[in-house]
Amino acid sequence: MKKKMISLLLVLALVVGVTSSAYAIGKIGEVEENTELDSLDVAISASYVLNSSDKTANFAKDSTAMQTLPLYNADGSIAAYYATFTGGGYAVINNNADNPVAIEFGEGRQPMIEEILSKNDDSHIVYCSPVAVYDTTFEVQENRAVQSNGLYDNLPGLLNKNEELSSVILEQRKLVENKMASAVSPCGDGDYGFIDWSDMPSGAYTADNIPFSGTEWVDMNDDFSKIDKNCCGAVASMNLALYFANAGHPALRKSTDLETFKAVFSYIGKGPAATIAGGTQKYFASCGYELNYSTNINNVYDLKQAISNDRPCGMLLMDGLLSWHWVIGVGYRSYNVTGNIYTRIVNGWKPDANRFYLWDNGSTYMSGSQYWMD
């Protein structure tokens, strides 16, 4: 079976109006559970590991298309999917929505699979483990002997539920499905549309900011990147902690920025996580404080109201299907003539609040929360 080439933009476009793959219609009037993956699940699961692991180099972000190839059990059912990206990198994803784990992944290509494909591009590949892969068309005794020991015999843990991973993948899928595909390019241009202070439009405007004077913001610096090079979620959470530490809650700051980051990171985890509110709240609790949050920031007008109440806002932006980034909204600027409302942000790339974001321009706003302490 030949590989299926999928444009990442097409993957995104196809999911508009499509329901999650976790369920399928069985008999008339009944809904039965279906744990098989579809193309979007595979794309998100593969990019999740290829864009968040220190062992890889953000291959998926440099790609314009993904190829998928089904890998089979001996009984003919699909055991996993082999995903490769035009920018480099591969992942073998377990075909189970309850545990869409990457069985293996890395740079380049999977050598045993590629060897089979080089000999027969219409092959039916049985995948028993990362070191036991064969084509059913190969009539050799050695390969027949492997057939009796399938993937789930070798790796029975793949049948277990992985609630943490499956919830992350499902949450990211929901965020993608809730947005119009036409608004987002496959991988984005990398800058998310952030605007420097000096490049903001001229003209009369009104503005408001939370009282952040004296807050020492942090960015994704080299020390933090040694722990996780895609640490935007943890950095955004830490900047929330630094804001409230400056506002009179000093125990939120540890002895050094690095120690504070390590403490926050233990609750947020790797990569641009789909949500950071719960982890941030747990970090505050570990420091003896109660943090409140609400996930009702649905548009820029909600953010304006939050800023008016002196509440910072965590904002998850999508530059492309495989490019996600967390920022903190700390103010806004509303222009009198055009009516455009720009959010003042701490963007995680510079340790200041001197950048702005015009909603859904340069990247798409996906979700967000406002935070406060009583």
Side-chain angles (χ1 to χ4, degrees):
M1 179 179 292
K2 295 182 179 179
K3 289 184 181 180
K4 182 179 181 182
M5 174 72 80
I6 304 173
S7 161
L8 295 179
L9 181 57
L10 178 59
V11 168
L12 186 58
L14 288 175
V15 303
V16 176
V18 177
T19 58
S20 170
S21 64
Y23 297 94
I25 300 297
K27 298 178 181 179
I28 296 176
E30 295 182 1
V31 177
E32 61 182 13
E33 188 172 0
N34 170 27
T35 60
E36 293 196 345
L37 306 182
D38 65 13
S39 295
L40 180 62
D41 295 320
V42 174
I44 293 175
S45 298
S47 63
Y48 183 76
V49 291
L50 290 177
N51 286 337
S52 65
S53 172
D54 294 337
K55 297 179 181 179
T56 57
N58 295 329
F59 298 117
K61 287 184 179 179
D62 298 328
S63 302
T64 57
M66 175 188 74
Q67 290 182 320
T68 60
L69 179 74
L71 305 174
Y72 295 92
N73 291 303
D75 64 7
S77 62
I78 297 176
Y81 286 95
Y82 176 49
T84 58
F85 293 88
T86 55
Y90 79 92
V92 175
I93 305 298
N94 184 31
N95 184 30
N96 184 348
D98 288 333
N99 189 3
V101 68
I103 302 169
E104 60 172 302
F105 65 95
E107 57 185 313
R109 298 291 185 260
Q110 210 279 5
M112 297 183 71
I113 295 175
E114 292 297 327
E115 181 180 3
I116 293 172
L117 293 175
S118 69
K119 298 176 180 177
N120 178 14
D121 64 1
D122 195 27
S123 55
H124 180 97
I125 298 177
V126 174
Y127 185 88
C128 299
S129 77
V131 295
V133 184
Y134 66 97
D135 184 355
T136 55
T137 61
F138 289 178
E139 297 297 333
V140 294
Q141 185 60 40
E142 291 81 1
N143 288 332
R144 285 183 178 179
V146 177
Q147 190 169 359
S148 62
N149 198 18
L151 176 62
Y152 301 123
D153 296 316
N154 292 322
L155 301 171
L158 295 176
L159 293 172
N160 298 335
K161 272 196 171 185
N162 187 332
E163 293 186 1
E164 181 178 358
L165 176 62
S166 61
S167 64
V168 168
I169 301 303
L170 180 59
E171 186 66 27
Q172 290 194 348
R173 181 187 177 99
K174 287 179 179 178
L175 291 173
V176 172
E177 289 176 343
N178 287 337
K179 293 296 179 178
M180 291 300 295
S182 59
V184 188
S185 64
C187 300
D189 56 12
D191 70 1
Y192 288 81
F194 299 152
I195 306 170
D196 290 343
W197 186 288
S198 59
D199 294 328
M200 286 291 287
S202 59
Y205 61 83
T206 58
D208 193 12
N209 303 296
I210 63 173
F212 62 78
S213 177
T215 302
E216 297 179 358
W217 309 108
V218 295
D219 60 9
M220 297 167 62
N221 60 53
D222 291 341
D223 288 337
F224 299 169
S225 296
K226 289 176 183 177
I227 298 173
D228 177 23
K229 62 186 175 183
N230 292 299
C231 56
C232 66
V235 166
S237 180
M238 179 174 169
N239 277 325
L240 288 168
L242 295 175
Y243 167 74
F244 285 107
N246 184 61
H249 307 283
L252 291 167
R253 181 193 288 273
K254 306 302 181 184
S255 58
T256 65
D257 282 349
L258 183 57
E259 291 305 310
T260 305
F261 176 79
K262 288 178 179 178
V264 173
F265 181 79
S266 68
Y267 291 94
I268 301 300
K270 285 180 174 260
T275 60
I276 63 170
T280 303
Q281 187 179 59
K282 290 178 182 178
Y283 172 70
F284 276 55
S286 74
C287 299
Y289 300 115
E290 182 179 356
L291 176 69
N292 303 296
Y293 70 87
S294 174
T295 59
N296 63 349
I297 304 299
N298 299 312
N299 52 56
V300 72
Y301 302 103
D302 292 337
L303 181 133
K304 281 185 63 178
Q305 184 60 49
I307 298 300
S308 298
N309 292 329
D310 294 337
R311 298 177 177 180
C313 298
M315 304 168 60
L316 178 61
L317 307 179
M318 181 170 68
D319 191 36
L321 176 60
L322 306 175
S323 301
W324 305 65
H325 189 62
W326 280 100
V327 301
I328 302 298
V330 298
Y332 69 86
R333 183 185 291 187
S334 179
Y335 282 83
N336 297 350
V337 175
T338 65
N340 287 337
I341 303 173
Y342 295 78
T343 302
R344 188 173 181 178
I345 60 171
V346 180
N347 73 356
W349 295 335
K350 297 289 184 181
D352 58 46
N354 296 329
R355 272 108 196 133
F356 291 84
Y357 169 70
L358 181 62
W359 283 52
D360 293 335
N361 280 261
S363 59
T364 300
Y365 174 80
M366 301 300 288
S367 65
S369 299
Q370 57 178 308
Y371 299 84
W372 70 96
M373 297 180 68
D374 296 326

